[in-house]
Amino acid sequence: DDLDDFLSEIKGIFLAYPNLVCELFFCDVDLAGPYLLRNIKDVPSPLGGGGTDLCPFFDLMSKRLAAGSLDPDLLVYLTDGYGRFPHDPPRKPMIWVVPEDGLEDDQFPFGQIVRINS
């Protein structure tokens, strides 16, 4: 259900910002992607499921930022929050999009938390 809610959020973002270009990753214990998204039709079906390790995404972002191969305006992570967090925050603004029954706000080590309703 969370994945369906997350995909609805992504589609809503594209409806609100039709000129947006972003990369989408799926992450459980492994990282899949990036999937380049230029419009709502590019959103792929979800991959993975089960336990979550949040670190692979941040490890990749750190490497790409250090290499100068990436300069995003914002990092957005849609998650229930139950998983292993990286020790260091990213060098970019961070938003966590979390379902109502996800991890409590004060348990996120960095970033801004936005709650979605099912």
Side-chain angles (χ1 to χ4, degrees):
D1 289 339
D2 287 343
L3 282 175
D4 289 338
D5 291 343
F6 292 157
L7 288 174
S8 292
E9 290 296 318
I10 292 168
K11 290 176 182 176
I13 291 168
F14 272 103
L15 289 173
Y17 302 97
N19 296 320
L20 179 72
V21 176
C22 67
E23 291 182 332
L24 175 71
F25 295 85
F26 293 104
C27 189
D28 47 21
V29 293
D30 295 312
L31 190 62
Y35 299 91
L36 183 62
L37 305 182
R38 293 185 186 278
N39 63 59
I40 197 167
K41 295 175 187 158
D42 294 335
V43 178
S45 297
L47 298 173
T52 303
D53 183 352
L54 304 162
C55 294
F57 171 76
F58 291 99
D59 291 343
L60 178 62
M61 292 301 104
S62 178
K63 289 176 188 169
R64 290 175 75 187
L65 285 165
S69 62
L70 177 72
D71 190 21
D73 295 322
L74 175 69
L75 300 176
V76 179
Y77 204 119
L78 293 86
T79 180
D80 61 9
Y82 297 108
R84 184 174 69 102
F85 286 90
H87 291 41
D88 298 318
R91 296 184 329 216
K92 292 291 181 173
M94 178 76 214
I95 295 177
W96 301 99
V97 179
V98 184
E100 291 176 307
D101 61 348
L103 191 69
E104 294 296 321
D105 291 4
D106 62 355
Q107 298 298 305
F108 286 85
F110 52 81
Q112 179 180 350
I113 293 88
V114 175
R115 294 283 169 173
I116 58 172
N117 300 324
S118 296

